[in-house]
Amino acid sequence: MSWLRFGFISSANIIYDSCLNALLDDSCVKNGVYRIKAKTAENYSSVYCHMTSLPGCSGGGWTMVMKIDGNKTTFSYSSAYWSNMKSYSPGDGKTGLDDRETKLANYWSTPFKQLCVGMKVNNSVQFIPISYFANSLYDILAGGKFHSTVILRNTWKSLNVGSSLQPNCGRQGFNVVAEHNQHARVRIGIIGNNENSCNSADSFLGFGAIDANQRGYCNSRNIVNSCGNSAYCGGDNGDKEVRAMAVTYLLVNTIYTQICV
């Protein structure tokens, strides 16, 4: 419940700027669905908010943005959903980390200072934080321009226990692409190569990966894996093709202290 001057009003009826703002308004709110400000006809989107820490991502007030099924092509690298302002199955954005794909209006509406990205493989869920300031995920992904991040290689690999990457290249961030066509690329993640360049990278770990019909490296043609880990030709943990269920949360640019009485 949220205190207003003339009494209490249900938090379900308030439109918040983000899930973090809902938490700041009432530090005892629970995980669940909230109305979050968005560029839609209704001026909001009903979004699942994670109000407590996630494994690997501290704090609370995480705003769900996307869920990706690595076994499907909905959000492969060339999908129009990365470059348009159209939602996908928004009703499935009202649940937690299940196997229902979604893209919410917060993708193009919500500014953030940090992402929390996670992968679920065989019911094991791992998250890592990505610190980055942007007006929205759309702003940094839609145009296809590369934006780098600085995250330890082993931190990326912790998303999938037993993952494999080739030892060289290590290009990471947003819109990560090998120079040569038909080689590794991801919208968010890291790529590797067995050679001392990123020209012909044959491994990736990340989200929004290369389309199956564009893969042409190391006998990996026509394999669908839009989210997860793929490694061939000298990966540090052997050849891998692991598909994951993924979730992406945003944290807006606000510093707060959580107190619940």
Side-chain angles (χ1 to χ4, degrees), residues 169-228:
C169 177
R171 182 176 292 166
Q172 60 167 284
F174 304 94
N175 295 321
V176 187
V177 178
E179 276 77 3
H180 293 173
N181 292 332
Q182 298 185 321
H183 285 268
R185 58 185 60 193
V186 286
R187 288 292 182 171
I188 304 172
I190 183 172
I191 63 175
N193 198 7
N194 60 323
E195 300 171 351
N196 292 320
S197 73
C198 294
N199 293 341
S200 56
D202 309 308
S203 59
F204 67 78
L205 196 159
F207 311 82
I210 184 171
D211 304 65
N213 62 2
Q214 295 179 6
R215 291 172 64 146
Y217 55 88
C218 297
N219 298 316
S220 70
R221 289 179 174 83
N222 296 318
I223 296 175
V224 175
N225 187 350
S226 60
C227 171

Side-chain angles (χ1 to χ4, degrees), residues 27-238:
S27 61
C28 296
V29 292
K30 306 297 184 182
N31 296 341
V33 179
Y34 295 81
R35 293 180 176 182
I36 303 300
K37 184 178 178 181
K39 297 174 182 177
T40 64
E42 298 81 13
N43 294 318
Y44 73 87
S45 178
S46 294
V47 177
Y48 180 83
C49 294
H50 199 97
M51 296 303 191
T52 57
S53 294
L54 292 158
C57 296
S58 61
W62 296 98
T63 302
M64 179 174 283
V65 181
M66 300 180 73
K67 290 185 288 186
I68 303 172
D69 186 343
N71 293 289
K72 299 179 180 179
T73 61
T74 313
F75 296 107
S76 58
Y77 190 92
S78 296
S79 169
Y81 283 112
W82 295 105
S83 56
N84 65 28
M85 294 185 182
K86 295 181 180 179
S87 60
Y88 177 84
S89 192
D92 291 325
K94 299 178 183 180
T95 58
L97 182 55
D98 55 23
D99 295 338
R100 302 173 182 176
E101 289 191 308
T102 188
K103 173 193 168 189
L104 300 170
N106 309 89
Y107 176 81
W108 64 86
S109 303
T110 305
F112 64 93
K113 69 169 185 177
Q114 194 171 63
L115 295 176
C116 180
V117 295
M119 289 186 179
K120 181 172 74 171
V121 179
N122 297 326
N123 293 319
S124 174
V125 185
Q126 306 292 331
F127 290 92
I128 65 169
I130 302 176
S131 295
Y132 202 91
F133 287 85
N135 289 325
S136 69
L137 263 179
Y138 172 88
D139 278 6
I140 55 176
L141 290 174
K145 181 181 178 181
F146 171 60
H147 300 268
S148 64
T149 55
V150 182
I151 298 172
L152 293 175
R153 170 191 172 92
N154 285 339
T155 300
W156 283 109
K157 293 190 68 180
S158 71
L159 282 167
N160 176 22
V161 177
S163 59
S164 185
L165 284 171
Q166 293 165 295
N168 301 320
C169 177
R171 182 176 292 166
Q172 60 167 284
F174 304 94
N175 295 321
V176 187
V177 178
E179 276 77 3
H180 293 173
N181 292 332
Q182 298 185 321
H183 285 268
R185 58 185 60 193
V186 286
R187 288 292 182 171
I188 304 172
I190 183 172
I191 63 175
N193 198 7
N194 60 323
E195 300 171 351
N196 292 320
S197 73
C198 294
N199 293 341
S200 56
D202 309 308
S203 59
F204 67 78
L205 196 159
F207 311 82
I210 184 171
D211 304 65
N213 62 2
Q214 295 179 6
R215 291 172 64 146
Y217 55 88
C218 297
N219 298 316
S220 70
R221 289 179 174 83
N222 296 318
I223 296 175
V224 175
N225 187 350
S226 60
C227 171
N229 177 214
S230 176
Y232 295 91
C233 297
D236 57 9
N237 199 23

